[in-house]
Amino acid sequence: MKRVFSSTQANRLYTRMEKNFLRERIHTSRRDLAKVDRELIDLFYILTANMQPVDWDKIDGITYQNMQNELERTSARQKIKYEKLQPKTKPEYRISLEPARTVVNLTDKTLTTSEVTLLAKGGNFAITPKVVPVEDIIAGTEAAIRNLPNSIADEIRFETVNILRTAKAPKSNLSREEHQALKSLNADKDILVLPADKGNATVVMKSEDYRSKIEDLLEPQTYKLLKKDPTALIVRNTNRLIKASSLPEHLKSKLINSEAQPPRLYGLPKIHKASVPLRPIVSAPGSPTYNLAKYLTTILQPKVGNTNSYVKDSTHFVQKLKDIKLEPSDIMVSFDVVSLFTRVPLGESMDLIKESFPPDIAELFRVCLTGSYFLWNGNYYEQTEGVAMGSPISPIIANFFMERFEEKALESSVLKPAVWFRYVDDTFVVWKHGRDSLDDFLHHLNSQSPSIKFTMETEVNNQLAFLDVLVKRNGDLLDHTVYRKPTHTDRYLHKLSNHHPSQKQGIIGTLANRARPFLANGYNEKEIKAALAPRQRRLDVNEQNNTVNKAFLPYVSQVTDRIGKVLRKHNIKTIYKPTWKIKGCLRPAKDKRVPLSSVGIYRIPCSCGSVYIGTTKRSVGTRLTEHKRSCRLGQTDKSAVAEHALRDGDHKIQFEVTQVIATTSGYHPRLVREAVEIHKHPNNFNRKEETHYLNRIWHPAISRTKVAVQRSRPVPEEPPPEQATPPPLIEGGIKYALRRNCGGAASV
């Protein structure tokens, strides 16, 4: 059917009509076939009544053979037409990954085939959702269109609702056996599943061995055991320094924390080393100085990387190699700093910071560098030396210090290297003074600081590995190719992972871009570009400038990608977030967070059957404490929960079974998600004036969602007090109501 109109609604109508016409054509053909069958039966009766059996058998055989020939010709013709309709695809060349390389089992437990297949997919493998997350989609979409004109916003809402009303959850990308394997691995408390430090392998360790290796890392000279949690004290000190600084007021408001979570320590197994030690990593997001450290990194960055020795990445290193010419006696050497992050001298680093920044900003650096602590196994430790692996400021501080260190070391050396390139703690050197003097140079480097120590590796068979580049001699020039460590698994994001196709294509594009500098075997840039084309189209400058807003949506195939197309028509860019990943479904190696310590939307039930839906940018536990205080003090103007508890009737607020419904971040998405949950709970006792307005267009989409089951037990009624005398004063009445309805034994 020729399509005259090209709008979304018109295309939908055209598609519906084409399906109806096709359905009618099928019914008509079936009716015609039935009519022909009836006519053949009538003809059969006439012929058999007027012909001899021998003649009939001969005619019947000839007719049958003609029918078979016609059937074969027609089938062959239809198959040719069908093959022409199929898109031409190139043969796929699949290289299967070896499970023994991608899954390293360090336990005495024998993994099942399903467990190995599951873990071989990688921890970043996203599992398809069992239900369409309608609430999150509405929250993300509504937050993105809030600044659009009402007519355009309503049009987007209508189209999105039409998609959501017919949306179905995608088919699971895990088999039933793999789902069972995931549950089995998560339930086994004797093992831990961890990513390898390098190579992207998955490691299965004994929990006991993991704890023992972590405790071996906690050396008393580097880590000090604290008596209590220092989070609140660090928050107060950090906020005080931020307020007293010369930073702009709008920036101060973003950096100041009302509360924070302690950083948590975990380890990554180094499977490329004997005895498989752990690399300590501190998970810092949400910690007292995390946001401040991210900001300080941006202002320190321009002061780093201005030396001739600076190497940004592998591509930059390859470009620097082009200008090097070697003599036959030259030696390629690499120097590596031992545990640089935990050995960076904080005193010397702060002296360098004070030379580059005003005193108030230097104080902000100091609180980030000296406030390194973490939680491990229920205890709090302070890092007394170096910077923490995992803090945003650690890499750039290490780089900042090493630039001054190498400048001092090279200036004071009698014999200097011809080439000195450094990437953080790895150094590529060309040495022109012979092998005998190389050990003296190593000794000179190790004598510059009591905490900074180097190891050395020289070229073997005229080649040396640096980063992921294998540098090779070619006469007086240097060639290069890709270098992979023996533990490298060649595993990247799995094709079946529930990620948006653009994210998978981005990985391929990144690998292709990294491969360009290494394709130096006689191919020119034009040939390389032709081989890698066609590439994904990027937004030009005008399209980027016309982008109104961004929508952050969970990726659901055939649902949010269709919504993304609707938003794109109105210059709204969609960022697709993957759903649950395999690593998020397994038992974590880090300490568990305190219950109700997350932000988001929560639900407080009452014994009368009604609920309160709330939202907070702080922890739910903090907001819950405020509700309890308002109930205890009778502050009904500050809390709808207190107002409901003090009403006439039997109301028992069940604070002990408060549930976090969603951990939605971001101010506007959080408000919308709260409004969605309030609409889903018609038995709520929220105040109407405090509720974010939710457009009625969303109601049909919300109606197909289900309310999460409240996992709580009924609270028995309290027996009446022994002396139930009626209170003579209003204050006494409030006290009586508080004791009865809020469980408050404290006095007002």
Side-chain angles (χ1 to χ4, degrees):
M1 177 181 294
K2 184 178 180 180
R3 301 194 176 191
V4 180
F5 304 99
S6 60
S7 65
T8 303
Q9 184 64 22
N11 288 330
R12 190 179 295 112
L13 292 173
Y14 280 128
T15 303
R16 191 179 304 166
M17 285 190 293
E18 289 172 349
K19 290 182 179 179
N20 290 336
F21 281 132
L22 179 60
R23 191 178 296 110
E24 182 60 28
R25 177 66 180 274
I26 294 173
H27 292 331
T28 303
S29 299
R30 287 177 176 174
R31 286 193 296 267
D32 293 340
L33 287 173
K35 181 180 178 181
V36 171
D37 286 340
R38 289 192 298 269
E39 292 176 352
L40 285 174
I41 292 175
D42 293 339
L43 184 60
F44 169 76
Y45 287 139
I46 295 173
L47 291 176
T48 54
N50 295 283
M51 294 182 63
Q52 293 296 326
V54 176
D55 296 334
W56 167 250
D57 291 338
K58 186 176 181 179
I59 293 175
D60 184 64
I62 295 172
T63 305
Y64 179 81
Q65 187 62 43
N66 291 337
M67 184 267 294
Q68 289 291 334
N69 294 337
E70 182 63 22
L71 177 61
E72 292 177 0
R73 288 193 298 268
T74 304
S75 298
R77 186 169 61 252
Q78 296 298 330
K79 287 180 180 179
I80 293 174
K81 291 182 178 180
Y82 180 78
E83 290 173 357
K84 289 182 178 179
L85 293 175
Q86 298 300 311
K88 296 182 180 180
T89 57
K90 297 181 180 180
E92 295 186 1
Y93 299 94
R94 296 183 178 272
I95 301 176
S96 59
L97 299 177
E98 300 177 9
R101 293 182 60 196
T102 56
V103 181
V104 180
N105 187 5
L106 301 179
T107 69
D108 51 5
K109 174 183 178 179
T110 301
L111 300 177
T112 65
T113 303
S114 298
E115 291 172 340
V116 173
T117 304
L118 172 76
L119 297 178
K121 288 180 167 63
N124 285 324
F125 183 91
I127 305 172
T128 52
K130 294 183 179 180
V131 296
V132 179
V134 174
E135 302 91 340
D136 292 333
I137 295 173
I138 293 176
T141 304
E142 186 66 30
I145 66 176
R146 66 184 185 276
N147 294 326
L148 296 179
N150 291 335
S151 59
I152 297 178
D154 287 345
E155 179 184 348
I156 295 175
R157 293 186 184 104
F158 273 118
E159 294 191 55
T160 304
V161 167
N162 289 335
I163 294 173
L164 292 177
R165 292 183 69 178
T166 58
K168 295 181 180 179
K171 183 180 179 180
S172 177
N173 54 359
L174 292 181
S175 65
R176 180 179 299 179
E177 292 77 13
E178 288 173 334
H179 277 290
Q180 293 296 330
L182 187 61
K183 294 180 181 179
S184 174
L185 290 170
N186 186 44
D188 193 343
K189 296 183 179 180
D190 294 330
I191 64 172
L192 281 175
V193 179
L194 303 164
D197 178 49
K198 295 178 181 178
N200 198 22
T202 300
V203 183
V204 183
M205 290 186 66
K206 289 184 178 180
S207 300
E208 182 180 356
D209 292 344
Y210 175 81
R211 288 192 292 267
S212 176
K213 291 177 184 291
I214 287 287
E215 290 172 357
D216 291 342
L217 293 173
L218 301 178
E219 301 172 349
Q221 61 268 26
T222 306
Y223 303 101
K224 175 184 176 183
L225 180 63
L226 301 177
K227 295 181 179 180
K228 62 178 182 179
D229 182 4
T231 303
L233 178 61
I234 296 177
V235 168
R236 288 195 298 269
N237 291 337
T238 303
N239 290 344
R240 175 178 55 82
L241 292 174
I242 293 174
K243 292 177 182 178
S245 70
S246 58
L247 297 176
E249 291 299 325
H250 73 278
L251 186 57
K252 290 181 181 180
S253 61
K254 293 181 179 180
L255 298 179
I256 291 176
N257 291 318
S258 56
E259 60 182 9
Q261 299 291 335
R264 295 174 292 173
L265 176 72
Y266 66 99
L268 299 180
K270 301 179 181 180
I271 58 176
H272 57 285
K273 294 187 176 182
S275 73
V276 192
L278 298 180
R279 181 185 298 277
I281 307 291
V282 176
S283 178
S287 61
T289 60
Y290 184 74
N291 292 332
L292 178 60
K294 289 177 65 177
Y295 167 73
L296 295 178
T297 300
T298 61
I299 64 175
L300 182 58
Q301 184 65 56
K303 301 181 181 296
V304 177
N306 301 319
T307 62
N308 294 328
S309 63
Y310 173 74
V311 173
K312 180 181 179 182
D313 49 28
S314 300
T315 303
H316 186 209
F317 174 65
V318 168
Q319 293 173 352
K320 295 173 78 72
L321 290 179
K322 295 179 180 179
D323 301 328
I324 297 177
K325 290 189 177 183
L326 298 182
E327 298 293 335
S329 59
D330 292 347
I331 304 174
M332 293 189 296
V333 189
S334 67
F335 294 100
D336 183 18
V337 182
V338 180
S339 303
L340 173 62
F341 280 31
T342 57
R343 295 291 184 264
V344 173
L346 294 182
E348 297 180 40
S349 300
M350 279 306 306
D351 292 339
L352 297 174
I353 291 292
K354 292 176 181 178
E355 295 175 4
S356 304
F357 293 95
D360 60 324
I361 303 300
E363 277 298 297
L364 298 179
F365 277 98
R366 183 191 60 78
V367 74
C368 288
L369 295 178
T370 59
S372 297
Y373 76 106
F374 54 81
L375 171 66
W376 158 249
N377 201 23
N379 296 318
Y380 294 91
Y381 295 85
E382 179 185 6
Q383 183 173 336
T384 58
E385 294 182 2
V387 291
M389 285 279 293
S391 174
I393 203 172
S394 298
I396 196 166
I397 285 292
N399 227 342
F400 187 61
F401 169 78
M402 286 302 298
E403 286 188 353
R404 305 307 188 271
F405 175 90
E406 68 185 8
E407 180 182 357
K408 174 185 174 182
L410 294 178
E411 286 181 355
S412 59
S413 177
V414 178
L415 299 177
K416 296 178 174 53
V419 173
W420 175 281
F421 295 151
R422 184 184 52 81
Y423 177 81
V424 190
D425 58 346
D426 291 333
T427 306
F428 177 84
V429 171
V430 174
W431 187 254
K432 290 182 173 293
H433 309 290
R435 183 65 179 82
D436 295 338
S437 60
L438 193 54
D439 292 332
D440 295 335
F441 182 69
L442 175 63
H443 177 74
H444 171 74
L445 293 176
N446 289 334
S447 63
Q448 299 301 305
S449 173
S451 57
I452 302 298
K453 302 299 178 184
F454 288 83
T455 60
M456 182 179 67
E457 182 180 351
T458 57
E459 62 178 285
V460 178
N461 296 328
N462 294 326
Q463 56 187 18
L464 179 70
F466 182 74
L467 302 181
D468 57 355
V469 181
L470 184 62
V471 185
K472 301 186 294 184
R473 287 178 178 265
N474 184 10
D476 60 346
L477 300 177
L478 291 177
D479 278 348
H480 49 271
T481 186
V482 177
Y483 173 72
R484 290 287 182 262
K485 292 186 176 182
T487 55
H488 188 77
T489 60
D490 289 318
R491 182 177 69 180
Y492 298 95
L493 185 64
H494 198 281
K495 183 180 183 299
L496 296 180
S497 179
N498 190 47
H499 284 74
H500 191 266
S502 63
Q503 295 169 331
K504 299 176 183 178
Q505 293 167 5
I507 295 176
I508 299 174
T510 300
L511 292 174
N513 284 331
R514 291 187 63 193
R516 286 173 185 265
F518 303 115
L519 300 178
N521 298 314
Y523 297 96
N524 57 40
E525 184 68 17
K526 182 179 180 180
E527 291 171 323
I528 294 174
K529 288 182 179 179
L532 296 177
R535 300 292 304 281
Q536 183 183 7
R537 185 183 72 88
R538 295 181 178 272
L539 294 175
D540 58 28
V541 177
N542 293 331
E543 288 178 306
Q544 293 178 357
N545 293 336
N546 291 333
T547 301
V548 176
N549 208 339
K550 294 181 180 179
F552 295 87
L553 303 180
Y555 176 64
V556 182
S557 179
Q558 300 301 317
V559 180
T560 51
D561 45 1
R562 293 169 58 192
I563 297 174
K565 293 179 181 179
V566 174
L567 296 172
R568 191 169 58 209
K569 293 188 302 184
H570 303 280
N571 296 325
I572 297 177
K573 182 180 180 181
T574 304
I575 308 297
Y576 298 98
K577 302 180 294 183
T579 47
W580 280 102
K581 298 180 180 179
I582 287 180
K583 64 182 180 181
C585 299
L586 296 172
R587 197 161 55 88
K590 295 178 285 188
D591 285 49
K592 291 183 178 180
R593 291 292 191 193
V594 178
L596 305 180
S597 62
S598 60
V599 303
I601 294 86
Y602 58 94
R603 175 174 58 191
I604 304 176
C606 178
S607 60
C608 67
S610 57
V611 297
Y612 175 79
I613 306 297
T615 180
T616 177
K617 68 176 182 179
R618 298 170 294 165
S619 68
V620 174
T622 299
R623 189 70 186 103
L624 204 63
T625 301
E626 294 175 347
H627 283 303
K628 292 179 180 179
R629 184 188 305 116
S630 296
C631 287
R632 189 173 67 252
L633 301 179
Q635 297 172 336
T636 58
D637 58 327
K638 292 185 177 181
S639 171
V641 177
E643 180 182 1
H644 181 79
L646 298 177
R647 282 180 180 173
D648 295 336
D650 189 11
H651 296 291
K652 174 68 176 180
I653 305 300
Q654 300 174 347
F655 288 113
E656 67 278 5
V657 289
T658 299
Q659 185 179 14
V660 179
I661 301 176
T663 56
T664 307
S665 60
Y667 176 72
H668 294 287
R670 199 166 55 242
L671 289 181
V672 178
R673 182 63 195 271
E674 179 196 30
V676 170
E677 293 297 333
I678 289 175
H679 181 78
K680 288 173 59 178
H681 296 77
N683 60 332
N684 69 84
F685 54 84
N686 290 70
R687 293 169 177 164
K688 301 301 180 183
E689 64 274 10
E690 295 179 355
T691 303
H692 178 79
Y693 171 72
L694 182 68
N695 197 293
R696 295 178 60 87
I697 298 175
W698 295 115
H699 292 182
I702 300 175
S703 62
R704 70 188 298 267
T705 63
K706 296 181 180 180
V707 176
V709 178
Q710 176 69 35
R711 299 176 182 176
S712 63
R713 61 183 185 278
V715 177
E717 293 186 3
E718 294 184 359
E722 296 180 0
Q723 296 180 353
T725 56
L729 299 175
I730 296 178
E731 181 182 1
I734 292 178
K735 288 182 179 180
Y736 180 82
L738 292 175
R739 293 191 183 98
R740 179 173 179 80
N741 300 335
C742 298
S747 60
V748 177

